[in-house]
Amino acid sequence: MCLPSLERVRELLDYNPSTGVFLWRRPMSRRLKVGAVAGSLQSGGYRQIMIDGQRLLSGRLAWFYVTGRWPATEIDHANGVQHDDRFCNLREATRAQNNQNRRACGKSRVKGAFWVAKQGKWRASIKVCGRTRQLGMFDTAEAAGAAYARAATEQYGDFAKVT
């Protein structure tokens, strides 16, 4: 896949780093108008923009537009909102770092806390370098979540999402 040049991107689009919005300077089709918001939201919440037949994620495109280089790894949205492409919300991240910045899921809705019915307690665990590390058993989901939050902050720093 041959990515578009910075000149080509800037010929077609304007980007406002403080709002994260791309506008068409020179639309790629007759349906689009100059000044219209570029791209569309996809089912996963990310915005994609079609340039010369290629679907490009707008977060990666914003990084390229501002820095002049395509990101070497993934782009993480620090606040967890996939379509918030303000430049201050974007950062390069490894897959592991990007995965750490995900919301809690499951019954507890407390990140890192899992109910263990056999023991009638909450287990806290964290994944580090592809391995699950057990943090202990707790009476409440909140206590298990607090143990996870401490471990995540220690392991992942700014990329730790603890809620």
Side-chain angles (χ1 to χ4, degrees):
M1 176 170 84
C2 185
L3 295 170
S5 69
L6 185 58
E7 293 75 25
R8 178 68 172 151
V9 170
R10 288 185 174 167
E11 170 190 340
L12 298 173
L13 297 165
D14 278 324
Y15 170 68
N16 183 329
S18 60
T19 65
V21 175
F22 281 96
L23 301 176
W24 286 111
R25 292 182 81 191
R26 197 170 136 223
M28 298 288 297
S29 79
R30 291 181 195 152
R31 293 187 331 237
L32 303 170
K33 303 285 186 229
V34 171
V37 174
S40 59
L41 284 179
Q42 302 304 302
S43 59
Y46 293 95
R47 180 171 292 279
Q48 290 185 342
I49 299 173
M50 182 79 84
I51 296 179
D52 297 332
Q54 292 182 18
R55 292 182 195 276
L56 300 168
L57 291 173
S58 59
R60 294 181 67 78
L61 200 55
W63 190 267
F64 180 57
Y65 198 97
V66 172
T67 67
R69 65 176 180 78
W70 289 102
T73 56
E74 295 185 6
I75 291 296
D76 178 57
H77 293 77
N79 68 2
V81 179
Q82 293 97 331
H83 61 273
D84 182 355
D85 292 320
R86 292 174 297 135
F87 190 72
C88 65
N89 188 45
L90 304 177
R91 56 190 176 183
E92 281 192 283
T94 64
R95 169 64 54 98
Q97 288 171 325
N98 206 348
N99 285 341
Q100 292 312 308
N101 192 22
R102 292 169 53 181
R103 291 185 182 97
C105 58
K107 288 182 181 181
S108 73
R109 295 288 178 207
V110 175
K111 192 158 185 185
F114 307 93
W115 178 248
V116 181
K118 280 185 178 180
Q119 295 167 332
K121 293 201 177 248
W122 292 91
R123 171 174 288 158
S125 63
I126 188 170
K127 196 169 245 184
V128 179
C129 297
R131 294 185 169 215
T132 301
R133 190 174 117 206
Q134 301 302 326
L135 302 173
M137 301 295 285
F138 301 88
D139 291 329
T140 66
E142 291 73 22
Y148 171 84
R150 286 189 300 276
T153 301
E154 179 183 307
Q155 287 294 319
Y156 303 115
D158 290 343
F159 287 91
K161 186 172 191 86
V162 296
T163 58

